[in-house]
Amino acid sequence: MTANLLLAVTAGILVAAGVYLLLERSLTRILLGVLLISNGVNMLFLVAAGKPGAPPIIGISDEPPSDPLPQAMVLTAIVITMAVAAFVLTLAYRSFQLDGHDEVADDVEDARIRELADQDGTSESYEDTTFSTDIPGAVTE
């Protein structure tokens, strides 16, 4: 029981560290965060599978057979993580080619929309559900 608790806590620490790195602006740290989260979730899959038993073939031994599904899920997660890691590495390399660094830049359109929302007085109140007809592009019936 102690080993399972230790593995579960280790998986939680890996996921927490991965989330922390995922929130950074550097694509290299984002990649490390994705890898840590993946390893933590894979460890959690194996911890949740329970104690190992006999091979997953009925009738080979007297012990109850183990469940092969968590191992199959971990293998699938490894393949998905490899694809995501390749994609993030490609993004980081392209960003380095264009800008000389792998920092994620602010989106100009998001900043413009944020400024428009700050200027709009009705966006501060969620209680008013009526729509004004002076909004450009608003649909009126």
Side-chain angles (χ1 to χ4, degrees):
M1 185 70 179
T2 308
N4 288 342
L5 181 62
L6 179 65
L7 288 176
V9 168
T10 305
I13 290 171
L14 283 174
V15 170
V19 168
Y20 175 75
L21 287 173
L22 200 65
L23 296 175
E24 295 289 328
R25 296 185 65 91
S26 170
L27 286 172
T28 306
R29 290 183 183 188
I30 291 173
L31 174 64
L32 290 175
V34 166
L35 294 176
L36 281 178
I37 289 174
S38 171
N39 287 333
V41 169
N42 289 344
M43 188 179 294
L44 197 60
F45 277 153
L46 294 178
V47 169
K51 73 177 202 174
I57 300 172
I58 298 175
I60 287 185
S61 71
D62 296 333
E63 295 182 40
S66 63
D67 188 15
L69 183 64
Q71 295 168 0
M73 290 175 68
V74 167
L75 286 174
T76 305
I78 289 171
V79 172
I80 291 170
T81 302
M82 185 180 65
V84 170
F87 180 69
V88 173
L89 274 174
T90 305
L91 286 177
Y93 180 69
R94 184 66 179 156
S95 175
F96 185 77
Q97 278 183 334
L98 293 176
D99 301 327
H101 56 79
D102 67 342
E103 296 283 324
V104 178
D106 285 335
D107 190 18
V108 177
E109 187 67 19
D110 280 346
R112 189 180 71 79
I113 291 172
R114 189 179 320 118
E115 286 175 9
L116 288 174
D118 288 341
Q119 293 171 1
D120 187 16
T122 59
S123 65
E124 294 176 5
S125 171
Y126 293 105
E127 297 170 4
D128 185 20
T129 58
T130 60
F131 294 101
S132 174
T133 57
D134 60 339
I135 299 175
V139 178
T140 58
E141 296 181 25

